[in-house]
Amino acid sequence: MAKAQKILIIGGPATGKSSIITLLEQMGYHCLPEISREITLKAQEEGTQQLFLTEPLRFSELLLEGRIKQHQEANFTNANYVFIDRGIPDITAYLDYKEDKYPSKFEKANLEYTYDQVFLLPIWDDIYVSDNERYESLEEAKKIQQQLVSTYTQLGYNLIEVPKDSVEKRVEFILKHSKTE
């Protein structure tokens, strides 16, 4: 059995990743959601409002564990293509943005668990919304976006920028420019 192509959707906060993943899933594609919200909500239930802000390394270790599980799940699916909301390198990008130190296992994971294609959603002022799990201002989101681009580029990924358009048009662009066609 051939491994599924892992197609990553990345971008700063509130760039439309989850909306795109939701539509792809509705269209019948195998998709793996962003897991940081789950971790944040669980921490909030346990009394920590923003785990990433109070314990960034603990938060990041939980993310790394979850994203490695997602990567492995993608390897064992019967689907030819798996669309994933955020990847393992997002973790080091965020830690670097926060200027936090982290163990080498994070960088090793970036090299060990790779993706076949990476689509970048640009920061889009018109759709940026803050909520209970998203604490970043628009200016912070723009800096995070720069760090994501830097991290993925340094790892050798060719980022395909998705135009600002309706969710349907963005999904159409991704499908047209991905290896699914």
Side-chain angles (χ1 to χ4, degrees):
M1 176 173 88
K3 287 184 182 177
Q5 295 286 309
K6 291 174 217 59
I7 301 173
L8 203 55
I9 310 294
I10 69 164
T15 52
K17 296 175 299 297
S18 297
S19 297
I20 286 171
I21 290 291
T22 298
L23 182 55
L24 284 164
E25 198 166 42
Q26 291 169 355
M27 294 171 70
Y29 288 96
H30 189 92
C31 298
L32 299 174
E34 164 61 282
I35 60 171
S36 66
R37 283 183 178 263
E38 290 174 31
I39 293 167
T40 300
L41 289 171
K42 188 171 189 296
Q44 287 173 347
E45 289 170 6
E46 295 169 358
T48 303
Q49 193 57 32
Q50 281 296 341
L51 186 60
F52 180 70
L53 295 178
T54 57
E55 296 182 64
L57 190 55
R58 180 170 169 241
F59 177 84
S60 298
E61 286 174 339
L62 293 170
L63 262 185
L64 182 61
E65 179 182 306
R67 289 196 179 141
I68 288 172
K69 284 180 185 174
Q70 282 186 323
H71 196 280
Q72 292 167 339
E73 177 185 333
N75 284 336
F76 294 103
T77 182
N78 290 329
N80 292 324
Y81 310 98
V82 177
F83 292 91
I84 307 168
D85 186 343
R86 292 198 180 277
I88 292 168
D90 283 59
I91 302 167
T92 54
Y94 269 78
L95 287 168
D96 288 341
Y97 160 74
K98 294 285 291 173
E99 298 180 349
D100 286 330
K101 296 195 182 310
Y102 48 88
S104 63
K105 69 180 177 182
F106 287 91
E107 291 171 330
K108 288 177 185 172
N110 284 345
L111 300 174
E112 184 176 345
Y113 301 97
T114 59
Y115 302 91
D116 298 292
Q117 249 181 327
V118 182
F119 286 90
L120 173 69
L121 303 182
I123 292 290
W124 190 356
D125 297 14
D126 293 347
I127 67 169
Y128 184 84
V129 177
S130 183
D131 62 22
N132 289 336
E133 292 83 41
R134 185 179 296 124
Y135 63 87
E136 304 91 349
S137 69
L138 180 57
E139 287 309 309
E140 289 170 319
K142 289 177 180 180
K143 290 176 184 173
I144 291 168
Q145 179 86 347
Q146 291 170 346
Q147 188 62 55
L148 286 165
V149 169
S150 175
T151 298
Y152 277 91
T153 302
Q154 287 174 10
L155 289 167
Y157 288 101
N158 175 35
L159 304 180
I160 303 166
E161 187 166 326
V162 179
K164 297 174 184 176
D165 208 329
S166 68
V167 174
E168 294 78 14
K169 292 281 189 189
R170 295 175 108 189
V171 166
E172 186 179 305
F173 176 90
I174 290 167
L175 293 174
K176 181 179 178 188
H177 291 88
S178 69
K179 297 175 182 175
T180 62
E181 294 292 302

